[in-house]
């Protein structure tokens, strides 16, 4: 069979070009790699090389022809033993190369985002959860029978995190911990206390102060089969490494077509501590939650810390785990069962109520509960949702609550602009607009870098009283 | 003096070790006046830091507070040979650098207490203060940042042709940050007037240099053609000599220079650090045998200066510090309206 030589596309934007010059004539033999023609694209003059060997049987498009479309037949190549007579009517049976169209039944079994409000997937077991999340479909969170974990022990959040890491390291010897001061110093905030003693220097690794470098190394090791836990002394210093968190860890699975990803955890304290100034006090929740390919978790209680850390380590994806220094020392009852693993993507209703929904995460959960107690004294029954996971967001639980209470206040320690509250506002606007009895209210940090002075710092950070005020406002009780 | 230069084959010969007896490195024979000035400057830093530690303990200073005690000879030696148009930038361990830039102790201390009278009107805190007037550009909390900012200060000196040099301080720990290598390259590539000073106090928080850093810090510029030198930072004259030479080299248009100053911090990394990663003996030896202030005091006495005269300086310093501490406590907290100001420049 004679082979058609097609007009090649020689730049990403080229759709047609000029066949400037033929360097071979009919009857000339060519070998692969021979330059056979020159083509002017929209950007430059390019040489066209032969791919196959044979003899030029026919030149279809003459030298000097302009506007030759990409993929048009420009010449026909004959194999050994073929002659020009074997060439049929070129124009008629020109092969049209069109990409194979997907058959209809390969379409995903979900509706596009605009129809998402109809999709609640009630009761049914949900497959391909991540695809549905990506498409913005509202689905029930993964099931979890938290009440069945009845045996508990009192411990600090700090110890809960440590125990979670230790348990998972015993369970899976590919898990290791790396960061500044994590080993010999036992952690700058003592979260890794005792881990060096138990697991040794091979698995508990002190690094130089080179966040970009060691985060990248950890990503490489995750690609190569390990499960790193990267501690950033605080998330403020994780900024040095944000490129690797987003571009290397967050996007690899997608860019590799699913062949390899990064099962790893980036963890450390997030948000304001106390009087440490603007560069050391920032909430990164909305920064990382913006990025598809990452999961973002923010525990509040000891149980959250333990169950979510274990889930994060076991998760096959990169998980950004946002702790809070102010919470490390708080004590809570924590389930002791080694299988206490809180599914990512499931919020917890910390207090049920009927008048107003208060959504919070991390340190703001405690402040929301404090506010709910004050509101109760004034006859307002608030429901407090602890998000636990920020991405994927448990949209279902938030929407169900709002449909019940018809009022919502969001709380976060970060700034309002493009914050988690803004995302929840969009969610409510898209899916629960008709249920609202009052405009949504957001409680956030003041829109300024965090000041150092004690009085200004207190003014800048959101407090329980702000939540009370906002809740009363949406209840028209102010 | 240990030097590395790409044109010559460099080696480690003559590298000064920190156990050299203080004062023994300098060929100079300083005058009593010089000695008195250096003594005064270093003592001011030490007393200031001691007072800051005390105020921290009283809950008047919050957050982090990184003291410079033990390292006084470094910034004192270098600043003593700078020119007025030069600029300085450093990390969070910055109180001494501000004092050395001739910033007002009252304003620094009041910033530590978060008061209106502070250099940043209470909004910056111990790690974030600036004085454009005195050529001090912070005060940065992110390890490594001062290097890049310092390289930029140098870029501006060259751009403006003001014959200034940027002195960019970093710690031994900071010297491992990627941006440091990037800045060495750019500073050398563009012959920027930058003196990179590595204050090698042997530890970055709880990690000793041995556990964090490969090779030799002052030689890390070799590949870029940046000369480097290691100097005994417990001896203010060694620092002075090295800095003078380095600044001359830079100011005559040769591009950047790296000075690794071997020093020691007596206190923990910050107020909350128990410093269990080093032995009490190690600290004691440095304090007893290498203290830069004691060394100068001995030299003064060696030159026949009366104890009473030295006491006079001590008293003078004590008064300055007492005044600063008082101001820092009396200055009110910033007005609540300050919360909203200075986010952007009004246009
Ligand atoms: C990018 C970044 N990572 C981590 C930290 C936390 N941290 C603050 S100081 C410090 C040690 C720095 O040591 P070094 O550079 O030797 O300076 P020194 O404290 O000894 O003056 C660390 C790890 C930080 N501030 N910034
Ligand atoms: Mg150091």
């Amino acid at each position: 069979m004679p082979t058609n030589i097609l007009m090649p596309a020689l730049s990403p934007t080229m759709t047609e070009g000029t066949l400037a010059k033929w360097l071979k004539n009919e009857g000339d033999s060519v070998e692969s790699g021979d330059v056979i023609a020159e083509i002017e694209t929209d950007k430059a003059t390019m040489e066209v090389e032969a791919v196959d060997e044979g003899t030029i049987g026919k030149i279809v498009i003459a030298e000097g022809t302009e506007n030759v479309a990409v993929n048009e037949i420009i010449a026909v190549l004959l194999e050994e033993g073929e002659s020009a007579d074997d060439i049929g009517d070129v124009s008629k049976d020109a092969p049209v190369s069109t990409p194979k169209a997907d058959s209809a039944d390969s379409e995903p079994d979900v509706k596009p985002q605009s129809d998402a409000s109809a999709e609640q997937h009630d009761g049914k077991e949900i497959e391909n959860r991540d695809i549905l999340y990506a498409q913005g479909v509202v689905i029930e969170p993964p099931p979890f029978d938290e009440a069945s974990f009845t045996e508990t022990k009192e411990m600090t959040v700090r110890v809960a995190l440590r125990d979670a890491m230790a348990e998972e390291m015993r369970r899976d010897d590919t898990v290791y911990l790396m960061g500044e001061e994590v080993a010999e110093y036992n952690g700058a905030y003592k979260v890794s206390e005792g881990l060096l003693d138990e697991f040794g220097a091979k698995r508990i690794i002190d690094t130089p102060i080179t966040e970009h470098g060691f985060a990248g190394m950890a990503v490489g090791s995750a690609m190569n089969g390990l499960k790193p836990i990267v501690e950033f002394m605080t998330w403020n210093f994780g900024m040095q490494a944000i490129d690797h968190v987003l571009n290397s860890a967050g996007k690899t699975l997608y860019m590799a077509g699913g062949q390899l990803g990064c099962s790893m955890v980036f963890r450390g304290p997030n948000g304001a501590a106390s009087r440490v100034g603007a560069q050391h006090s920032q909430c990164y929740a909305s920064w990382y939650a913006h990025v598809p390919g990452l999961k973002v978790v923010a525990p509040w209680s000891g149980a959250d810390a333990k169950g979510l850390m274990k889930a994060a380590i076991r998760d096959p994806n990169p998980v950004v785990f946002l702790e809070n220094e102010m919470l490390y020392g708080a004590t809570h009852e924590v389930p002791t069962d080694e299988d206490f693993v809180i599914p990512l993507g499931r919020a917890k209703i910390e207090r049920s109520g009927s008048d107003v929904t208060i959504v919070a995460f991390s340190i703001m959960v405690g402040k929301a509960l404090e506010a709910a107690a004050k509101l109760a004294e004034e006859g307002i029954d608030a429901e407090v949702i602890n998000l636990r996971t920020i991405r994927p967001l448990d949209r279902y639980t938030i929407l169900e609550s709002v449909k019940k209470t018809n009022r919502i206040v969001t709380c976060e320690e970060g700034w309002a602009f493009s914050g988690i509250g803004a995302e929840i506002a969009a969610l409510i606007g898209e899916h629960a607009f008709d249920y609202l009895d009052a405009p949504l209210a957001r409680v956030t940090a003041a829109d300024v870098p965090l000041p150092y002075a004690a009085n200004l710092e207190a003014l800048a950070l959101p407090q329980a009283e702000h939540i009370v005020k906002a809740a009363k406002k949406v209840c028209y009780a102010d | 003096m240990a030097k590395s230069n790409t044109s010559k084959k460099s080696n480690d010969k003559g590298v000064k070790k920190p156990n050299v007896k203080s004062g023994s490195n300098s060929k100079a024979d300083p005058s009593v006046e010089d000695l008195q000035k250096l003594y005064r400057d270093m003592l001011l830093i030490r007393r200031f830091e001691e007072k800051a530690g005390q105020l921290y303990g009283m809950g008047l200073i919050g957050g982090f507070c990184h003291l410079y005690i033990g390292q006084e000879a470094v910034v004192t030696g270098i600043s003593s040979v700078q020119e007025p148009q030069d600029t300085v930038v450093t990390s969070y361990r910055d109180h001494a650098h501000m004092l050395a830039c001739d910033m007002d102790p009252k304003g620094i201390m009041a910033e530590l207490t978060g008061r209106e009278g502070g250099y940043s009107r209470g909004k910056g805190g111990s790690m974030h203060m600036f004085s454009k007037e005195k050529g001090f550009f912070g005060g940065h909390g992110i390890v490594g940042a001062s290097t890049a900012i310092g390289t930029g200060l140098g870029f501006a000196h060259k751009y403006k042709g003001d014959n200034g040099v940027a002195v960019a301080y970093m710690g031994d720990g900071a010297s491992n940050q990627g941006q440091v290598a990037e800045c060495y390259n750019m500073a050398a590539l563009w012959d920027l007037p930058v003196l990179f000073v590595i204050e090698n106090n042997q530890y970055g928080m709880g990690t000793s240099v041995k556990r964090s850093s490969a090779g030799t810090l002052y030689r890390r510029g070799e590949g870029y053609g940046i000369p480097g030198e290691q100097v005994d930072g417990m001896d203010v004259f060694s620092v002075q000599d090295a800095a003078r030479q380095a600044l001359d080299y830079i100011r005559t248009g040769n591009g950047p220079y790296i000075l690794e100053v071997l020093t020691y911090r007596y206190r923990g990394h910050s107020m909350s650090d128990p410093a269990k990663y080093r032995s009490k003996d190690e600290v004691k030896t440095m304090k007893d045998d290498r203290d830069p202030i004691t060394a100068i005091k001995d030299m003064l006495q060696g030159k026949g200066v009366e104890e009473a005269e030295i006491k006079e300086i001590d008293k003078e310093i004590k008064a300055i510090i007492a005044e600063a501490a008082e101001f820092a406590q009396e200055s009110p907290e910033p007005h609540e309206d300050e919360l909203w100001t200075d986010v952007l420049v009004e246009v």
Side-chain angles (χ1 to χ4, degrees):
Chain A
M1 257 280 281
T3 311
N4 293 332
I5 301 176
L6 306 181
M7 180 73 166
L10 297 172
S11 84
T13 49
M14 173 180 167
T15 55
E16 58 177 35
T18 299
L19 207 164
K21 190 169 178 195
W22 279 109
L23 299 174
K24 297 282 180 191
N25 295 315
E26 286 180 4
D28 287 357
S29 68
V30 296
E31 287 189 24
S32 74
D34 284 356
V35 177
I36 56 171
E38 280 178 11
I39 284 175
E40 283 167 19
T41 71
D42 52 346
K43 300 207 169 62
T45 300
M46 309 278 291
E47 292 181 336
V48 182
E49 290 179 5
V51 180
D52 302 302
E53 54 183 25
T55 307
I56 303 281
K58 187 179 169 72
I59 286 183
V60 181
I61 305 283
E63 218 171 69
T65 311
E66 291 178 8
N67 305 331
V68 182
V70 165
N71 278 338
E72 209 170 307
I73 299 167
I74 55 175
V76 181
L77 195 67
L78 299 175
E79 279 176 46
E80 217 183 319
E82 292 174 344
S83 75
D85 299 340
D86 295 324
I87 303 170
D89 182 349
V90 222
S91 57
K92 252 192 244 156
D93 60 8
V96 187
S97 136
T98 46
K100 221 177 125 214
D102 274 344
S103 59
D105 60 10
S106 73
E107 273 193 17
D109 191 20
V110 285
K111 300 251 164 54
Q113 178 150 8
S114 51
D115 293 353
S117 59
E119 298 274 344
Q120 298 265 334
H121 283 260
D122 290 300
K124 275 176 253 138
E125 199 181 309
I126 300 165
E127 286 167 35
N128 287 333
R129 204 167 257 292
D130 292 326
I131 294 177
L132 297 174
Y133 283 137
Q135 291 171 333
V137 179
V138 177
I139 48 176
E140 272 189 49
F144 185 50
D145 185 8
E146 193 156 349
S148 69
F149 294 90
T150 46
E151 259 174 57
T152 63
K153 206 176 134 193
E154 196 180 72
M155 63 178 81
T156 61
V157 168
R158 175 182 278 119
V159 169
L161 290 167
R162 195 266 316 271
D163 286 0
M165 290 193 282
E167 284 175 19
E168 294 306 302
M169 287 187 71
R170 282 174 211 131
R171 192 175 162 266
D172 179 349
D173 65 11
T174 63
V175 179
Y176 72 96
L177 173 69
M178 173 186 251
E180 293 157 22
E181 310 290 350
V182 297
E184 295 195 8
Y185 200 82
N186 281 310
Y189 298 99
K190 298 286 174 275
V191 173
S192 52
E193 185 133 49
L195 294 184
L196 176 65
D197 285 346
E198 179 174 354
F199 298 103
K202 183 186 169 201
R203 296 178 71 192
I204 307 292
I205 303 159
D206 276 332
T207 64
I209 312 167
T210 51
E211 290 84 2
H212 195 198
F214 69 72
M217 273 184 54
V219 170
S221 77
M223 289 175 177
N224 207 358
L226 301 185
K227 286 170 86 63
I229 305 170
V230 175
E231 173 173 314
F232 293 126
M233 191 177 285
T234 76
W235 275 97
N236 303 287
F237 317 140
M239 288 301 282
Q240 302 283 324
I242 193 169
D243 172 59
H244 279 307
V245 180
L246 269 60
N247 276 324
S248 306
K251 297 176 183 173
T252 296
L253 182 74
Y254 194 82
M255 296 187 302
Q259 288 176 69
L260 85 160
C262 302
S263 177
M264 64 192 300
V265 179
F266 298 99
R267 52 158 288 269
N270 174 60
S274 173
R275 309 282 310 280
V276 293
Q279 288 184 338
H280 281 73
S281 317
Q282 188 167 328
C283 174
Y284 288 94
S286 85
W287 290 62
Y288 292 99
H290 188 61
V291 183
L294 296 178
K295 293 190 179 179
V296 182
V297 175
W300 166 63
S301 68
D304 292 359
K306 177 101 186 277
L308 290 169
M309 178 56 79
K310 288 171 71 87
I313 296 169
R314 291 186 193 185
D315 200 281
N317 296 288
V319 179
V320 167
F321 199 91
L322 305 171
E323 299 157 15
N324 187 297
E325 190 194 331
M326 308 297 281
L327 299 176
Y328 280 152
T331 48
H332 302 262
E333 288 296 327
V334 178
T336 49
D337 193 317
E338 298 228 340
D339 288 323
F340 179 70
V341 179
I342 301 172
L344 303 187
R346 187 181 173 93
K348 183 182 179 197
I349 297 174
E350 295 284 353
R351 180 193 197 281
S352 64
S354 54
D355 294 336
V356 56
T357 299
I358 302 176
V359 182
F361 60 92
S362 186
I363 194 166
M364 293 308 293
V365 175
K367 297 186 184 181
L369 288 169
E370 200 184 318
K374 282 187 195 147
L375 288 164
E377 286 166 19
E378 302 188 35
I380 295 173
D381 185 21
E383 175 147 308
V384 176
I385 297 178
N386 171 4
L387 286 178
R388 286 184 162 174
T389 306
I390 293 167
R391 183 186 185 98
L393 186 66
D394 184 354
R395 296 147 59 101
Y396 181 91
T397 297
I398 300 170
L399 288 172
E400 287 303 299
S401 177
V402 170
K403 287 176 184 173
K404 179 174 74 174
T405 64
N406 311 110
R407 298 161 202 279
I408 179 166
V409 173
T410 69
C411 315
E412 67 196 293
E413 210 188 53
W415 296 300
F417 196 99
S418 296
I420 303 304
E423 178 60 31
I424 294 171
L427 172 74
I428 304 294
E430 285 165 357
H431 298 290
F433 184 72
D434 291 331
Y435 289 90
L436 282 189
D437 285 347
L440 160 151
R442 286 184 283 168
V443 176
T444 67
D447 198 22
V448 299
L450 198 73
Y452 166 75
N455 64 330
L456 298 186
E457 185 183 70
L459 284 173
L461 291 173
Q463 312 293 354
E465 71 223 46
H466 298 117
I467 304 173
V468 170
K469 211 171 148 203
K472 283 163 86 173
K473 189 174 161 211
V474 302
C475 290
Y476 298 117
D478 55 347
Chain B
M1 214 159 280
K3 281 208 182 173
S4 76
N5 198 315
T6 37
S7 54
K8 294 178 223 130
K9 208 161 177 261
S10 46
N11 54 43
D12 258 323
K13 250 195 295 163
V15 170
K16 280 176 197 140
K17 292 280 159 9
N19 60 357
V20 182
K21 272 269 175 275
S22 58
S24 63
N25 293 300
S26 180
K27 278 160 237 96
D29 182 24
S31 68
V32 167
E33 266 156 42
D34 285 348
L35 284 171
Q36 281 176 332
K37 163 118 182 57
L38 291 168
Y39 179 71
R40 185 179 279 117
D41 289 350
M42 290 199 281
L43 197 66
L44 178 71
I45 294 170
R46 178 150 311 173
R47 296 286 174 263
F48 184 96
E49 295 293 62
E50 286 165 352
K51 181 57 81 177
Q54 191 190 1
L55 295 184
Y56 192 95
M58 293 160 66
L60 288 161
I61 295 172
F64 296 132
C65 185
H66 311 86
L67 303 183
Y68 197 70
I69 299 177
Q71 302 183 207
E72 294 89 348
V74 183
V75 81
T76 305
I78 294 171
S79 67
S80 69
V81 292
Q82 279 174 217
E83 294 199 3
Q85 72 273 24
D86 294 347
T87 51
V88 175
V89 62
T90 189
S91 68
Y92 42 84
R93 197 178 302 285
D94 57 356
H95 315 157
H97 301 71
M98 294 185 276
L99 292 168
C101 284
D102 200 26
M103 285 167 67
D104 182 356
K106 293 207 294 281
I108 304 170
M109 198 67 94
E111 189 60 38
L112 295 184
T113 53
R115 304 301 173 89
E116 192 181 78
Y119 265 99
S120 301
R121 293 202 305 290
K123 293 156 83 165
S126 80
M127 300 184 283
H128 310 299
M129 276 175 258
F130 308 82
S131 169
K132 216 172 160 180
E133 184 203 341
K134 303 285 186 187
F136 182 73
F137 288 82
H140 298 273
I142 304 300
V143 168
S146 59
T147 342
I149 294 166
T151 306
L153 294 172
F155 182 88
H157 283 305
K158 179 163 184 180
Y159 192 94
K160 296 190 287 189
D162 63 10
N163 204 28
V165 174
V167 185
Y169 289 88
M170 71 186 101
D172 45 282
S175 68
N176 292 316
Q177 280 287 29
Q179 56 183 316
V180 177
E182 295 176 25
C183 289
Y184 285 171
N185 180 49
M186 289 185 286
L189 186 66
W190 299 322
D191 287 334
L192 301 181
V194 185
L195 175 59
F196 294 106
V197 182
I198 303 167
E199 295 197 63
N200 183 351
N201 61 9
Q202 324 296 332
Y203 296 91
M205 295 188 83
T207 304
S208 67
V209 177
K210 286 179 217 73
R211 297 204 301 120
S212 71
S213 312
T216 322
L217 300 182
Y218 74 93
R219 291 178 58 177
R220 288 199 180 164
E222 276 179 23
Y224 308 104
I226 308 177
E229 176 178 352
Q230 196 179 50
V231 59
D232 178 6
M234 303 309 275
D235 171 31
V236 69
F237 296 107
S238 298
V239 178
Q240 226 178 20
D241 287 350
R244 191 181 290 114
Q245 277 198 23
L247 287 169
D248 272 357
Y249 171 92
I250 299 166
R251 218 179 294 281
T252 41
N254 292 306
Y257 198 101
I258 298 170
L259 211 54
E260 178 187 354
V261 191
L262 299 175
T263 180
Y264 202 80
R265 71 167 151 71
Y266 296 175
R267 299 289 186 95
H269 166 73
S270 66
M271 298 304 295
S272 56
D273 172 23
K276 288 200 208 125
Y277 41 81
R278 57 185 190 187
S279 70
K280 290 224 159 60
D281 267 1
E282 179 183 307
V283 184
K284 189 170 174 335
T285 308
M286 291 306 282
K287 280 187 186 171
D288 291 354
D289 301 350
R290 305 297 335 277
D291 188 73
I293 299 178
T294 311
I296 298 276
K297 194 172 169 183
D298 290 350
M299 286 175 83
L300 278 169
Q301 283 170 337
K303 286 193 180 277
V305 177
E306 296 288 323
E307 180 73 24
E309 218 177 308
I310 298 173
K311 280 259 160 63
E312 227 12 77
I313 301 180
D314 295 1
K315 259 166 78 186
E316 195 187 304
I317 298 292
K318 215 172 161 187
I320 296 173
I321 299 303
E323 193 193 0
E326 199 179 299
F327 177 77
Q329 292 170 72
E330 277 172 5
S331 174
E333 288 195 306
H335 192 274
E336 294 195 352
D337 292 346
E338 282 282 347
L339 180 61
W340 303 105
T341 57
D342 306 321
V343 179
L344 293 171
V345 175
E346 293 284 337
V347 285

